Amino acid sequence: MLAFLPKLENQPAGIPAPRKTVKAKPAAKTARPKTDGCPPALDGDIYLVKGISAATAPKFHKMGINTVRDLLYYFPNRHLDYSRLKKISQLEAGSEQTIIANVWQSKVNYMGGRRSTEAVLGDDTGNMRAVWFNNPYMVRNLKPNARVVLSGRVSIFNGRPVFESPEWEELPDEADLIHTGRLVPVYPLTAGLHQRSLRRLMKNFIDISTPGISDFLPEDTLKRTRLLPLAEAIRQAHFPDTEELKDAARNRLAFDELFILQLGVLAKKKRWQEQTGRALKINLPAIDHFISQLPFKLTDAQTKCLADIKADISKSVPMSRLLQGEVGSGKTIVAVISLFTAAANGLQGAFMAPTEILAEQHFKSVTRLFASIAKVSTLLDGVYTFEGLLDRPLRVALMISDMKSSQKDILKEKIKKGEIDIAIGTHALIQKEIRFKSLGLAVIDEQHRFGVEQRSALRSKGLNPHILIMTATPIPRTLALTLYGELDLSVIDELPPGRQSIKTRWLKPEQRNSAYNFIRKQIEAGRQAFIICPLVEESEAIQAKAATAEYETLSSEVFPESKVALLHGRMNAAEKESIMKHFNEGKMDILVSTPVVEVGIDIPNATVMLVESADRFGLSQLHQFRGRVGRGTEQSYCMFLAENPSLLGQERLSIIESTQDGFKLAEEDLRLRGPGEFFGTRQSGLPDLRMASISDVGLLEQARREATRLFESDPELNLPENKALEEEIRRVWPKKSEWS
């Protein structure tokens, strides 16, 4: 394709002395005057930066760059390695390479019907061509005898090397390269901004700004951690001198983010522990009698976690505890005993779940448990009243959005008057019009599904109530200590007797019919099955549509002889209640569902779980699906179907197929997918992480150690040497933030 390039005969091989660099044209005037050589204040507007005008500033705003500080921390998303300098005779096809050469000639040629620039260059080992396709304007810059640096990929044509559209720049007098001959930054862009111009602007900006940056880390922290100084780290993060310095820069900047995050979390815990709560009596006869009457014996792990909770709620400091447990480990009974303890003390309890299906499931579980021990005296306006548990009636109610307004009004009034002891519900419990007379304990299930404001709203419903947070999503301890550093941690690390291992298989597309036949045989044996619809998008409308289509195909074509039901989040409460009631009673054989069944559904007779497009889910979510079966006495099975999984998807499916340990799976999920699988930043209330990942266990633990050391010696950061750090924390953790 390059046959039309001129031959290189009679071109000299030597390199003449470099000519002087052509002076750049003066920069265009901007909307506000710049002070050359003097960096603007970090909190100043972006167009105080030299090179950014009132016209270009909006383009930076689109990328979230509004202040000088934003620009300073606008790091490249990668670097091109143009640092390996070669002679022309050493060039090889394919890899990124850099040369220094003289321009012998340049001209415009028609290539593929379009005007392009071609140049002939040489060094003391030979000559070569460079081509810039569809760019005739390059010829203006490539003057004969100019000494230039070129970096890019090399092709071999007719046995000779050719650069195709390489990066280039004239060799500066002091070899201060920007686009070539170094690790070259590649920045995220928006329409109207170009890589070369942004790179040039950033180089000038970084050179001017970084010398004046003061470090906010205390001197002894810097010495102990042996981290780069902040100014050097920022410079090396943008324009690193070596690969090692680039890594060291990222390490320092990532440490800063995790260190400040940890300090904020520790401060949150301290403030919460300074609040005054209600100390509950935990040795009341009614509590011991209730536990002794349970239809099963608590496991050692449940007993230990319950002891942790009792120790907390017996103090006047409000409890703030995270209860982790495997699927089916029995977290709910621990929560129910805790709620019963609050009721025995004359206080109210709230049990908040993220979905109506899960709230309804909890309501059924709680009332069924109480009914197995005590007498149900009335069921009026959705309120169960139990006699014989306390020296007064115990009243339990369900509050969800999908209820008649008249019934909700009645429940609101009863909660306000203290006539409801335990209120179970969704976010409906935290609506402004809901008032508790004396909320003593709030239990939040699957708390990562609630936003920061929602959790805070429930907490504000009482006078600093005790808080118990539960999750069936196993969270690695390191991650838990970061996201929930203000919480104390309890783990139910054993399953109740009788819980069995679920046989798990990853199936290829050609095994689909075998999977259907296996389900058919299980149904013939009197068992039931789940089939999870493949879509994982956020839109419930899209999920419902896809689930409906899957349901129609399965019910009419695949399992016409079976009773197939459909469940998705857009159904109203009555529809969902009816479907789950029929499925639980064995009147339906197969439940086709969206991921709404991930948690909370308990069908002992269901022995098969089939997940479509399983490679699109994370390990923890797949483990949650698997936990919906194996809850009875029969051997249960889980099958994961994937049409064309990526290498990462294949790795996940191999891991889930061979591992039943949810905590081990969570560690792997964190390694493969990062913390986003567990909690999004907006949900968790944490600051944005630009350079750090909380899956970086070593750095996270180092940051936590240093934060704990500093917090123990100066919790208010009042010492003079910590003043700069205190100001940085206030900037990152603004007062208006509610740290969860």
Side-chain angles (χ1 to χ4, degrees), residues 410-476:
I410 292 171
L411 290 177
K412 289 174 189 175
E413 190 63 24
K414 288 181 178 293
I415 291 172
K416 182 178 179 181
K417 291 180 178 179
E419 296 175 4
I420 301 296
D421 296 292
I422 299 175
I424 301 172
T426 58
H427 61 278
L429 287 177
I430 58 174
Q431 292 174 349
K432 288 183 179 180
E433 60 268 25
I434 301 292
R435 295 285 184 271
F436 286 83
K437 182 180 180 181
S438 55
L439 182 62
L441 171 66
V443 177
I444 304 174
D445 195 17
E446 291 301 323
Q447 92 105 23
H448 66 280
R449 297 187 174 210
F450 292 101
V452 173
E453 295 81 7
Q454 292 171 312
R455 298 193 294 270
S456 177
L458 180 59
R459 182 173 275 164
S460 69
K461 293 295 180 181
L463 178 61
N464 298 324
H466 298 288
I467 300 290
L468 177 65
I469 292 170
M470 302 197 308
T471 181
T473 302
I475 309 167

Side-chain angles (χ1 to χ4, degrees), residues 65-207:
I65 305 173
N66 300 303
T67 68
V68 175
R69 187 192 308 274
D70 293 337
L71 187 63
L72 197 67
Y73 280 82
Y74 191 68
F75 297 115
N77 51 18
R78 62 191 175 101
H79 286 82
L80 300 174
D81 189 355
Y82 290 161
S83 61
R84 295 178 176 85
L85 192 64
K86 287 190 174 184
K87 296 290 187 178
I88 290 177
S89 63
Q90 298 172 323
L91 293 176
E92 299 173 350
S95 60
E96 305 279 1
Q97 294 156 96
T98 298
I99 65 166
I100 297 175
N102 274 29
V103 178
W104 300 133
Q105 68 177 50
S106 63
K107 65 179 181 178
V108 175
N109 258 339
Y110 280 88
M111 302 179 185
R114 295 188 176 184
R115 298 171 71 220
S116 303
T117 295
E118 65 174 81
V120 178
L121 310 104
D123 64 11
D124 57 1
T125 68
N127 299 312
M128 69 175 299
R129 297 183 181 91
V131 181
W132 287 266
F133 296 107
N134 196 30
N135 186 354
Y137 306 106
M138 276 292 300
V139 74
R140 302 174 185 170
N141 302 310
L142 298 170
K143 305 297 184 184
N145 293 323
R147 187 171 171 82
V148 296
V149 186
L150 292 93
S151 295
R153 290 189 181 275
V154 174
S155 300
I156 301 297
F157 182 76
N158 286 340
R160 297 195 179 195
V162 179
F163 269 122
E164 296 187 26
S165 300
E167 289 285 354
W168 78 281
E169 59 188 315
E170 281 196 89
L171 187 65
D173 290 337
E174 297 180 2
D176 189 11
L177 301 172
I178 299 176
H179 310 290
T180 59
R182 62 173 306 131
L183 288 168
V184 176
V186 179
Y187 293 94
L189 297 174
T190 190
L193 287 180
H194 304 285
Q195 197 64 243
R196 286 179 67 89
S197 57
L198 177 57
R199 199 180 288 144
R200 193 178 299 112
L201 181 149
M202 290 298 296
K203 185 66 168 64
N204 181 63
F205 170 67
I206 295 298
D207 287 347

